[in-house]
Amino acid sequence: NNSDLATSFQFLVDKKNMFSFSVSEGVVPARGSIRVIITFDPQTVGNYYERVFCLIRNHKLLFIDLIGT
């Protein structure tokens, strides 16, 4: 967060998915950062893809593409 104000965020994720987030929502302090660890734990062998959207207060919609094999 490069601003002088704290801001909230939220990843739009399914809790019962093969990609899990250590933190799916919270507040990033002013001029600070947080670490989000994404774990991949599939139940069967295969190739997996998911687009996860991130909502950030006063910012355009962001997304990340997750790929696991």
Side-chain angles (χ1 to χ4, degrees), residues 13-66:
V13 295
D14 181 8
K15 301 292 185 193
K16 297 179 181 180
N17 201 338
M18 74 281 302
F19 296 103
S20 60
F21 286 63
S22 62
V23 178
S24 61
E25 61 185 75
V27 176
V28 181
R31 301 284 176 196
S33 63
I34 64 165
R35 180 179 297 214
V36 177
I37 299 171
I38 303 170
T39 304
F40 177 62
D41 186 25
Q43 300 301 311
T44 59
V45 175
N47 299 316
Y48 297 90
Y49 164 81
E50 183 176 354
R51 176 167 281 178
V52 177
F53 292 92
C54 182
L55 303 174
I56 300 174
R57 179 187 280 171
N58 299 323
H59 196 279
K60 66 180 181 177
L61 182 65
L62 300 177
F63 66 87
I64 57 172
D65 290 327
L66 303 174

